[in-house]
Amino acid sequence: MSPDYPFDEAATARAVIDAAGTLTEWSEGARRLLGWAADEVVDRPAARLLAGPVPEVSAPRWHGTVALCHRDGHTVTAWLLAHHRRPSGGGPGDWLVVTPLERSRVPGNPLDAAALTQSPCAVALYDDRLRLHTQNEAMARVVGLPEERIRGLRHSEIGGKPQNEELERHLLQVLTTGRPQDVQTYLRAGGEDRAHAWLARMAPLTDAEGRVRGVCMAAHDITENYQARQRLHLVNEASVRIGTTLDVTRTAQELADVCVPALADFVSVDLLDPPEHGGEPPAAVAAPVALRRVAHQSVTPGSPEAVVGQGDVELYPAASPQAASLLSGRTVVASVAAGDLEDWLDQERTRRERVRQYGIHSVMAVPIQARGTTLGVAVLTRARRRPDRFTADDVLLAEEITARAAVCVDNARRYSRERETALALQRSLLPRSLPSTAALEASSRYLPAARAGVGGDWFDVIPLSGMRVAMVVGDVVGHGIQASATMGRLRTAVRTLADIDLAPDELLTHLDDLVVRLSQESGGEGGSPGELGATCLYAVYDPVSRRCSIARAGHPAPIVVPPGGVPRELEVPAGPALGLGGLPFEAAELYLHEGTLLSFFTNGLVESPERDVETGHRLLREALAADAGPAGPDSLDETCDRILRALLPAGGSSDDDVALLLARTHGLPASQVATWDIPSDPALVSPIRKQVVEQLSTWGLTDASFTTELVVSELVTNAIRYGSHPIRLRLIHDADTLICEVSDTSHTAPHLRRAKTWDEGGRGLLLVAQLTQRWGSRHTPEGKTIWAEMALVEEE
């Protein structure tokens, strides 16, 4: 018999059998049942007490009716319950076998009457008309009304709330179907100052024939469980809703939106302003603290509780919850009732009036911190709509949500800073304005990517000799500062190569070599090449011949719109992307009528996740077709804007960089060009000079005759002496420039040098350089051309 058992041993027959089948314990109740004393059966086989076969037991618990041997020899039939017990230290364990000896219920037992009325579970019984039949004391406390006053009323009449009507509909379903139901609701019971979460368990009450005669409803307060689920749901919702963009203001607003009304009636988010030139917020915060209101939200439309407007800066004294939280680096909870806000409100009359007007009673200030840096503070406020104060669980929840938001705010702040740096670099590398040339008028647009950041798209218009002009559009693979820096190097390289007047296919070949070298330089320590690539399109237009030569390296082909014609894509050999190395490029040459519109662009304009490339090209052609309408061509700026509206989302941003360059060609009339074939005899140059002077007189450029005559004489004489025939002289002029060109079939380029005092020659090109605005040479398929430009309008 167990010495630790304080209960009546005689009311239950109890025995313990070890793994070997030996009885190890025998209670007084067991003696009453079978007559054997403990010393007669303990340490002996339990099977000796069986009057039949040993039951088969396969589960940890067994029950059944067994025939047992009484001490006086007769058989006792008993229902037994057996439990297998494993010892805490391991081992085979034993079996506890029990059976009750007293099963009859005593009439008039007070427990029978107290079973319903004194049960801690709130229980109410409703009859077949769903009228209250009875309720226990626990339900009376929940309802807040005694049973004798409300007996006979329906549940909806007792509660009087929409939730009670909903519960009554479920009671009716249980009454009519006979199937139990569990219903959760959230309501304020009678006499409570705040709502609770309840689980109402409803079951049918039946008579002896199984007919449903009423419904039993037991109410369980599950507020703590409900609030725990709500907190978990709010944390999960915060992880989904906060940080959807890399925008600081949007992220702060998402934090405020998540907390209202789940945690507070009004939430404000104030951030420390970064230093003037970027960088991290200050490491130490001192009162008064200057904070900028980035976002706020309220249960009341328009956020009338806000004293500070969005975007405004406010100074918060040390007595304010905002400053106290930032100075201490922890959450601060204050309330009007506790007097924690008095010192602050005494300094802020407007704020005190808002507190009184909207019934604000509790404030919680949570510092926004990430990576050990304080970014700002989120302030949660409760007013009369929510009379309960902030609890410790509310503080933990607010800190969890704010910590998640802080990481997103920090990421957005860092992204914004890097984006601004990349944009500044991009702006410094792209042309601030396009040059005005006689060959064409041009307009451009550049838009950085909305999400991926600044990329390596670029464009340029480069004046060349002979009034020709080069147009270039390119795209470096990737985004960020690295892509922008690579773009700057390529743009500089293109300008340098354009200055030596390379043909488009030759220029792309040199540019390809440069990208290969840059890719090798950006490789890892093992010497493997880095992942650097780019596309480029380069075109040269000559307004005299009105011919355009174009080559491209993996770049989208331009779209051309002839005057009054239909937009079409130019057939230009695609060529490999830059950086592959060793593959050839081909140029296409075409004649352009005056007023032809050329459209150069990067793939960010026509490619989009929402549509295929073919649709993008179709939209671009449609936008360009409007330029050739019956009303005449629009300005290029208007055409650029129309294209962006047609192809980009409503916000004007794309998932990739967009570079667009439009150019409308002009032709130089034949009357502004004069050409002479130069004889091989230097003595015959004099008549050529005379014809040049006469031509200048015809053009009304007599003031430039002296300088032009000297330049022509020097260039022609050098060509006769050092060049190869045939030799040709050409003069070109527009409103402000006169160009002199001398071409021959020799590929030897001239060199400018300084002649010594007694040298008879060597001063010709030096003289040309002094008399002209600029001069140079370019190679042609037939030889070379020496050119010099003279300004017809004096610079102010």
Side-chain angles (χ1 to χ4, degrees), residues 272 282 284-291 313-320 322-324 326-327 344 347-348:
L272 294 163
V285 179
V289 184
L291 295 171
V313 176
E314 178 83 354
L315 280 176
Y316 291 91
S320 66
Q322 290 89 338
L326 292 177
L327 292 172
W344 181 38
Q347 305 174 38
E348 299 276 351

Side-chain angles (χ1 to χ4, degrees), residues 693-741:
V693 172
E694 291 174 352
Q695 183 63 56
L696 293 178
S697 179
T698 302
W699 286 341
L701 304 177
T702 306
D703 292 342
S705 297
F706 178 76
T707 302
T708 306
E709 189 176 0
L710 287 176
V711 171
V712 167
S713 178
E714 291 296 334
L715 294 182
V716 170
T717 300
N718 277 349
I720 293 174
R721 283 182 180 177
Y722 307 112
S724 301
H725 285 272
I727 301 172
R728 176 167 295 179
L729 168 65
R730 186 170 71 163
L731 293 182
I732 308 170
H733 91 89
D734 66 353
D736 53 9
T737 305
L738 177 65
I739 300 173
C740 175
E741 295 183 343

Side-chain angles (χ1 to χ4, degrees), residues 265-487:
D265 297 326
F266 175 75
V267 173
S268 62
V269 180
D270 300 320
L271 298 181
L272 294 163
D273 273 344
E276 184 178 355
H277 300 291
E280 298 290 335
V285 179
V289 184
L291 295 171
R292 185 177 298 277
R293 175 62 51 84
V294 182
H296 53 228
Q297 184 59 278
S298 171
V299 293
T300 307
S303 300
E305 305 97 326
V307 177
V308 182
Q310 289 188 347
D312 295 342
V313 176
E314 178 83 354
L315 280 176
Y316 291 91
S320 66
Q322 290 89 338
S325 175
L326 292 177
L327 292 172
S328 64
R330 58 181 179 81
T331 301
V332 172
V333 178
S335 66
V336 173
D340 304 324
L341 301 173
E342 284 302 315
D343 291 344
W344 181 38
L345 296 179
D346 286 343
Q347 305 174 38
E348 299 276 351
R349 295 183 59 185
T350 302
R351 203 175 296 272
R352 177 180 287 279
E353 176 59 27
R354 298 289 172 89
V355 168
R356 185 199 61 78
Q357 181 179 358
Y358 296 100
I360 295 173
H361 58 82
S362 299
V363 173
M364 175 166 54
V366 185
I368 302 174
Q369 299 170 325
R371 299 182 305 104
T373 302
T374 300
L375 306 175
V377 62
V379 179
L380 291 76
T381 303
R382 286 182 178 177
R384 62 171 61 98
R385 288 193 178 189
R386 188 162 184 167
D388 51 314
R389 298 183 185 181
F390 290 108
T391 64
D393 289 335
D394 294 331
V395 172
L396 292 176
L397 182 58
E399 289 176 342
E400 173 69 19
I401 295 174
T402 304
R404 291 172 179 262
V407 174
C408 298
V409 169
D410 185 54
N411 289 340
R413 182 180 59 85
R414 288 173 162 270
Y415 168 79
S416 299
R417 187 176 62 190
E418 181 176 339
R419 179 179 172 83
E420 287 301 320
T421 302
L423 276 173
L425 176 62
Q426 185 92 349
R427 294 188 191 102
S428 68
L429 296 175
L430 288 174
R432 294 182 179 274
S433 61
L434 298 179
S436 176
T437 67
L440 51 81
E441 59 176 314
S443 182
S444 63
R445 294 291 186 273
Y446 171 76
L447 295 176
R451 299 177 184 173
V454 177
D457 291 15
W458 91 93
F459 57 87
D460 212 344
V461 174
I462 308 170
L464 303 177
S465 62
M467 290 194 178
R468 296 170 306 128
V469 65
M471 296 160 284
V472 58
V473 177
D475 184 359
V476 175
V477 176
H479 294 86
I481 295 178
Q482 183 63 39
S484 296
T486 302
M487 176 273 289

Side-chain angles (χ1 to χ4, degrees), residues 575-626:
L578 299 175
L580 297 180
L583 298 176
F585 299 95
E586 298 180 51
E589 191 167 304
L590 63 153
Y591 180 84
L592 299 178
H593 293 279
E594 183 170 4
T596 298
L597 180 61
L598 291 169
S599 173
F600 305 93
F601 52 90
T602 55
N603 56 10
L605 182 67
V606 294
E607 293 182 5
S608 170
E610 289 77 26
R611 61 168 185 267
D612 54 43
V613 178
E614 289 300 323
T615 302
H617 278 87
R618 177 180 57 80
L619 293 174
L620 176 57
R621 290 194 297 271
E622 291 175 357
L624 288 169

